[in-house]
Amino acid sequence: MPTDLEVSRRALLAGGAASAATVAVPTARAQSATPPRTQSLPTTLPVRLTVNGQARTLTLDTRTTLLDALREHLNLTGTKKGCDHGQCGACTVLVAGRRINSCLTLAVMHQDDEITTIEGLGTPDRLHPMQAAFIKHDGYQCGYCTPGQICSAVAVLDEIKAGIPSHVSGNITRRPRVTNDEMRERMSGNICRCGAYSNILDAMTEVAGADA
Ligand code: FES
Ligand code: FES
């Protein structure tokens, strides 16, 4: 004969199982319930860009990064994809003269923006002074990071000229000077696996006309 205690235990377990079942049913129902209706959003959009001085119109998946729009849709493969996560700077381009990581921004966010890639800075016949200085000072080895380095370097000198301080500017009320520290700090988002850093600095110093 079961004791009162054993009966109570069984009753408790049975009750527990029943409770679990009653809890499970609404959960299962909730999972199979029809999701609320949402407004359907367009998956492609027309995007107007001015790239290297030329008006370009593309119809793009709204998730397309600016980097992929340039490389895959406009065939401007000078801009490189390194990490695709904003960590290496290989994808640096200029938007309205300011440098950005093109892998971290969507093309549809740049309606009517002016974009300059390495192809638009200069040509083999008419190199940009920074391109010429990189060649003169051996500012590269494999060259993979170089388009991003050059775009960044051009913008860095413009930033310094415009008086924009950096993390290492001693006195932010004074105009920053073109020093090694300033250039190293500002170029720190552009990684070079070949380690051409000191030659890149020489190239930038020459273009800045500075005695860094
Ligand atoms: S590819 Fe954009 S930061 Fe590396
Ligand atoms: S030159 Fe090779 S990664 Fe910079």
Side-chain angles (χ1 to χ4, degrees):
M1 283 290 288
T3 64
D4 281 354
L5 182 60
E6 282 171 322
V7 169
S8 305
R9 230 184 241 154
R10 273 195 205 110
L12 183 65
L13 288 171
S19 312
T22 36
V23 169
V25 170
T27 305
R29 275 202 197 120
Q31 280 172 354
S32 66
T34 313
R37 287 173 71 85
T38 52
Q39 200 186 347
S40 66
L41 296 169
T43 54
T44 61
L45 279 178
V47 187
R48 286 180 317 270
L49 308 168
T50 302
V51 184
N52 299 333
Q54 277 194 312
R56 311 297 297 258
T57 302
L58 300 167
T59 299
L60 295 174
D61 185 311
T62 52
R63 297 163 297 181
T64 307
T65 62
L66 180 60
L67 173 60
D68 284 343
L70 293 170
R71 287 181 56 85
E72 310 297 333
H73 295 264
L74 295 176
N75 207 25
L76 291 169
T77 52
T79 307
K80 298 291 184 264
K81 183 182 282 192
C83 63
D84 212 15
H85 279 90
Q87 292 173 351
C88 72
C91 65
T92 305
V93 297
L94 307 178
V95 176
R98 298 188 67 179
R99 58 199 172 128
I100 63 165
N101 288 338
S102 60
C103 71
L104 284 188
T105 186
L106 298 175
V108 292
M109 295 163 66
H110 293 282
Q111 205 66 255
D112 296 323
D113 275 354
E114 283 201 21
I115 294 156
T116 306
T117 68
I118 191 70
E119 291 93 341
L121 271 185
T123 62
D125 296 335
R126 295 186 55 188
L127 292 174
H128 184 281
M130 192 64 80
Q131 290 171 315
F134 265 60
I135 293 171
K136 178 177 168 189
H137 291 278
D138 278 337
Y140 54 89
Q141 289 178 44
C142 77
Y144 197 82
C145 71
T146 311
Q149 300 278 7
I150 291 177
C151 286
S152 233
V154 168
V156 160
L157 296 188
D158 286 345
E159 285 162 21
I160 295 176
K161 217 181 283 174
I164 299 170
S166 80
H167 186 63
V168 298
S169 304
N171 183 343
I172 61 167
T173 63
R174 287 217 193 111
R175 213 157 246 289
R177 288 180 39 246
V178 181
T179 62
N180 278 348
D181 281 351
E182 282 285 356
M183 288 190 285
R184 279 185 188 279
E185 165 63 18
R186 292 169 195 259
M187 292 294 288
S188 60
N190 289 81
I191 309 299
C192 175
R193 291 154 190 85
C194 300
Y197 297 115
S198 56
N199 295 11
I200 290 171
L201 221 53
D202 290 345
M204 291 177 70
T205 304
E206 176 174 313
V207 174
D211 184 13

